[in-house]
Amino acid sequence: MQIEEVPALRPAGEQILIEVRAVGVNPVDTYIRSGSYPIKKELPFTPGFDAAGVVLEIGQMAGPFRPSQHVYTSGSVSGTYAQQALCLPKHVHPLPDNVSFEEGAALGIPYGTAWRALFQRAQAVSGQWVLIHGASGGVGIAAVQLAAAAGLQVIGTAGTEEGRQLVLEQGAQYAFDHNDPAHFEKILDLTGGVDIVLEMLANVNLDRDMEIMAKGGRLVIIGSRGRIEIDPRKAMSKELNIHGLMLMNASPEESYEIYTGIEKALLQGKIKPVIASRLPLKEAPKAHRQILESAHLGKIILLP
Ligand code: NAP
């Protein structure tokens, strides 16, 4: 990736032109850049879905947004690793006054995914046990905060002591080390079986997750980076429900529910993104290397 000067963008139709103040880096940006994702882009292209900034201009069709409004995005027509981004109305969400641009850039995909996993795929209900398997990253911290705010009993995992401390600070009651094979037994002893698992690395954990789930439990596969052999009997005997999740599959009605729910939680101060590090936009290659390494605590943000 390299910085290039291009002509200023102009919105067409219902597009919204945003002056980007902060960009959220997501793992999917690296998969698309490297060509290992089903979405294939023709080169050259500008990466990025998540950003926060100020509305500059709106295309011909008037929508709910107005110039100078603070917004965040969960998608973009032109890509958000830039000073300007063109977005469709479905990609753009109002940024409340109590949320900074950096925090706003950390919302779109991570909080959208965590919301969909908890409330649309797993049908989480107050009082249930939820294991957030990989709780120290962008989606994991969002899920811990949303689950705690909804009254669930939250267990999070992280690979470092600092990560586990952060997970506890964000609202988890218990934190375990996902690199310690004994954490599965410890969680089973603690809970007698978890009702919900949000899984960030299914190719490592899926088989053993099923051993520590309660009868009728719901497991949501959010992340996976390879294949795994599982014993299907573990799912049969407990009548487990294993759900895939792809945020981009949310219907317009589901997206509305997700992003109005996030806005309400932001306004009530129930959620607050955690920023791991800030880098200038020209260091996007470094950000892509960092996000694939474990143990960044929260979100990596690029500043154009
Ligand atoms: P991230 O910020 O890089 O966080 C990765 C998380 O995975 C960290 O908490 C990390 O913990 C944890 N992890 C590392 N080894 C693990 C293990 N053995 N078991 C469980 N967790 C482990 O990434 P993210 O933005 O949160 O995204 C997480 C995953 O979900 C990625 O694979 C991403 O591609 C995927 N995702 C999917 C969707 C979708 O629509 N399906 C949407 C968003 C994200 P430590 O660093 O503490 O070890």
Side-chain angles (χ1 to χ4, degrees):
M1 285 181 289
Q2 61 188 47
I3 299 274
E4 281 192 15
E5 288 292 331
V6 296
L9 300 173
R10 295 301 311 275
E14 58 175 353
Q15 291 177 348
I16 298 161
L17 179 63
I18 294 165
E19 180 186 291
V20 176
R21 298 287 181 85
V23 182
V25 177
N26 287 294
V28 69
D29 302 342
T30 73
Y31 315 150
I32 293 174
R33 189 215 70 237
S34 66
S36 64
Y37 200 67
I39 296 175
K40 306 287 180 200
K41 293 273 197 178
E42 273 189 37
L43 297 171
F45 73 97
T46 305
F49 295 87
D50 284 355
V54 180
V55 174
L56 283 178
E57 202 181 331
I58 297 162
Q60 299 128 17
M61 291 153 70
F65 297 100
R66 52 180 167 67
S68 83
Q69 187 174 353
H70 291 194
V71 293
Y72 72 96
T73 71
S74 56
S76 170
V77 176
S78 59
T80 58
Y81 287 29
Q83 292 171 318
Q84 297 184 344
L86 286 172
C87 299
L88 297 172
K90 68 177 181 181
H91 300 140
V92 184
H93 318 285
L95 188 67
D97 291 341
N98 62 337
V99 187
S100 71
F101 289 123
E102 292 180 8
E103 290 168 343
L107 289 170
I109 290 184
Y111 281 77
T113 302
W115 183 286
R116 183 162 175 78
L118 282 168
F119 305 120
Q120 293 181 341
R121 305 304 282 146
Q123 301 287 321
V125 174
S126 173
Q128 292 178 329
W129 280 109
V130 58
L131 167 63
I132 298 164
H133 220 165
S136 53
V139 177
I141 288 172
V144 169
Q145 293 177 354
L146 287 168
L152 283 106
Q153 304 190 80
V154 183
I155 302 169
T157 71
T160 62
E161 191 49 50
E162 295 83 353
R164 292 188 285 282
Q165 190 54 42
L166 177 67
V167 166
L168 293 172
E169 286 163 12
Q170 298 310 309
Q173 277 126 307
Y174 301 92
F176 292 91
D177 179 0
H178 45 230
N179 298 321
D180 169 15
H183 78 282
F184 291 100
E185 285 85 10
K186 290 177 187 167
I187 292 170
L188 185 58
D189 288 347
L190 174 72
T191 62
V194 292
D195 301 296
I196 298 167
V197 177
L198 304 192
E199 183 52 66
M200 306 301 156
L201 202 55
N203 57 302
V204 172
N205 297 318
L206 183 57
D207 189 61
R208 299 229 46 208
D209 282 341
M210 294 192 286
E211 292 169 14
I212 62 165
M213 293 181 69
K215 205 169 174 184
R218 285 92 70 207
L219 186 150
V220 185
I221 300 175
I222 297 175
S224 188
R225 293 186 179 162
R227 300 177 65 87
I228 181 172
E229 186 177 306
I230 63 162
D231 179 357
R233 275 185 187 276
K234 294 178 187 172
M236 285 161 60
S237 55
K238 287 195 255 181
E239 298 197 322
L240 300 178
N241 302 283
I242 299 177
H243 300 271
L245 181 151
M246 184 57 68
L247 181 62
M248 292 172 200
N249 287 345
S251 67
E253 294 74 26
E254 288 170 330
S255 288
Y256 179 80
E257 179 192 295
I258 290 170
Y259 290 105
T260 52
I262 291 170
E263 185 182 1
K264 195 169 158 200
L266 286 168
L267 288 168
Q268 292 173 339
K270 289 184 172 168
I271 56 174
K272 188 174 173 62
V274 174
I275 310 300
S277 61
R278 300 157 181 84
L279 293 168
L281 183 59
K282 67 175 188 307
E283 292 194 28
K286 184 174 172 188
H288 275 208
R289 283 191 293 275
Q290 281 183 356
I291 198 159
L292 292 182
E293 291 162 6
S294 275
H296 48 276
L297 306 178
K299 288 292 300 182
I300 300 171
I301 299 295
L302 294 171
L303 298 172

